[in-house]
Amino acid sequence: MTLADRRILVIGGGFSGMSAAIDCARRGARVDLVEIDPGWRNYGAGISLGGATLRAFRQLGILEAFLAHGNASDGVRICLPHGPQVAELPTPRIAGPEVPGGGAIMRTVLSRILADATRAAGVSVHLGRTVQTLEQDADGVSVQFDNGVRSRFDLVIGADGLYSRTRTMLFPEAPVPRYSGQAVWRAVLPRPPEVQTATMWIGPRVKPGVNPVSATEMYLFITEPRPLNDRVDPSEFVPRLRALLEPFTAPVLQQVRDQIGPDSQIVFRPLEGLLMPRPWSKGRVVLIGDAVHATTPHLASGACIGIEDALVLAEELSRHAEPTVALAAFEARRWDRCRMVVENSFRLGEIEIAGGDKDEHARIMRESLMALAQPI
Ligand SMILES: Cc1cc2nc3c(=O)[nH]c(=O)nc-3n(C[C@H](O)[C@H](O)[C@H](O)COP(=O)(O)OP(=O)(O)OC[C@H]3O[C@@H](n4cnc5c(N)ncnc54)[C@H](O)[C@@H]3O)c2cc1C
């Protein structure tokens, strides 16, 4: 059996699921994608992307669209709370000598680019739909959808995110997401001319940063230690965000602080993570993306490793006639890299919460970025 003969179901239309659908369809598989949200929405300001993500975009065929609608830049500037720059983390040009080593884009824009590519690849997209049951035998998977329809697939890819129901169906004993003790605030603001690339200000325990998402806009992110995973009422968003920035006297941050208002698209999100122990598949059902390795955003690499999963999975499925052999090969290629991202990101968060060793923080950042530059 080659990939061209296969019928594949993807559960979840986030970045990982769409990427898997695109690459499998382009390699000749007949792909259906079910997404539970009838509006296929993606929430939350901008998303930062490293060179490895841009390399994955190139492989997926969406790099040009990203460069047209997002922002690419080199280096990450590290500054003191009152403004002076103390370091610049190099971001190697992994996607090619002509492509900057990182960037950012609005999440809604990246989602639209991927959704267009998904449909263009010939994937059958079913919105507002999910799976009720999965039953496997040696030859395939029988799937019962929530509208009562039953269909048969050669392979099912669970890409339904941090709270994956596919994971629970497959592995009822799987670990549950763990709260990290930190939350992140994000907002969208006009881009001042001096913000040329990702820039962070390292406070004792709070870390604000900005990253341009286009020629005219940037997004602001601020990590804050919060011992309890509690809710913040939206009426408190603007004053709370301004208060977090108050000790940061860097002129650009004070300007940002003054601009924060009810129209700043503020999103508050407690940070949770999960690293699913191996195996990541059972028979002909495999999990990818946040469903198995949800990372906190300290290395800006969660979307990257989910999209890479999709590329590696499609490659191994084209390479091996037997799906279970392909799934074992996929997992062997992905485990170390994904574990590194989740564990190092979590450690960076721990250091920030404790106001810990800045040298260790910088070393982990540097080593992780170098590891991410390796081929997948
Ligand atoms: C605050 C925050 C900031 C982040 N910042 C960055 C960053 O700067 N850079 C970066 O690379 N990464 C970042 N990440 C991580 C990144 O957002 C995720 O790793 C990535 O979105 C995961 O994609 P996914 O497709 O695996 O899962 P998801 O994005 O969760 O997508 C899952 C999809 O499945 C659908 N779904 C769920 N259940 C079902 C069901 N039962 N049936 C059908 N469909 C279902 C959902 O509606 C959704 O569309 C950040 C994460 C957080 C929390």
Side-chain angles (χ1 to χ4, degrees), residues 127-211:
L127 298 181
R129 186 101 307 134
T130 189
V131 164
Q132 235 147 30
T133 58
L134 299 167
E135 282 168 33
Q136 302 197 47
D137 54 46
D139 302 323
V141 190
S142 295
V143 177
Q144 165 98 49
F145 294 99
D146 59 344
N147 59 351
V149 170
R150 281 188 84 84
S151 300
R152 192 135 168 101
F153 295 89
D154 297 303
L155 186 89
V156 174
I157 302 172
D160 45 352
L162 178 61
Y163 286 93
S164 168
R165 203 170 150 261
T166 316
R167 183 180 67 227
T168 312
M169 283 197 274
L170 230 52
F171 302 104
E173 306 304 321
V176 293
R178 175 157 73 118
Y179 177 55
S180 68
Q182 240 180 349
V184 66
W185 296 83
R186 287 167 295 162
V188 183
L189 294 155
R191 171 185 175 178
E194 59 268 45
V195 175
Q196 291 295 324
T197 189
T199 307
M200 295 191 276
W201 290 263
I202 308 296
R205 295 174 75 226
V206 169
K207 187 183 74 181
V210 293
N211 205 351

Side-chain angles (χ1 to χ4, degrees), residues 6 136-138 154-155 281-285 317 320-331:
R6 289 188 184 145
Q136 302 197 47
D137 54 46
D154 297 303
L155 186 89
S281 61
K282 193 177 256 183
R284 288 168 175 258
V285 185
L317 287 169
H320 300 281
E322 173 54 47
T324 51
V325 174
L327 299 188
F330 156 75
E331 193 178 298

Side-chain angles (χ1 to χ4, degrees), residues 63 72 98 170 228 302 305 320 329:
L63 180 61
E98 77 292 6
L170 230 52
L228 296 179
I305 53 177
H320 300 281

Side-chain angles (χ1 to χ4, degrees), residues 108-132:
T108 46
V109 177
L110 180 56
S111 286
R112 198 182 59 232
I113 291 172
L114 279 165
D116 289 348
T118 302
R119 293 198 196 273
V123 175
S124 301
V125 176
H126 312 273
L127 298 181
R129 186 101 307 134
T130 189
V131 164
Q132 235 147 30

Side-chain angles (χ1 to χ4, degrees), residues 10-18 34-37 40-42 46-50 53 107 129-131 159-166 169 184 186 219 269-272 288-291 293-306:
V10 178
I11 306 173
F15 299 144
S16 311
M18 287 192 276
V34 284
E35 163 56 48
I36 202 165
D37 177 3
W40 210 0
R41 286 158 298 187
N42 196 313
I47 182 162
S48 297
L49 309 163
T53 321
R107 275 179 184 260
R129 186 101 307 134
T130 189
V131 164
D160 45 352
L162 178 61
Y163 286 93
S164 168
R165 203 170 150 261
T166 316
M169 283 197 274
V184 66
R186 287 167 295 162
Y219 86 102
R269 178 87 188 252
L271 293 178
E272 295 171 293
I288 66 168
D290 272 18
H293 47 66
T295 177
T296 56
H298 300 81
L299 291 169
S301 294
C304 176
I305 53 177

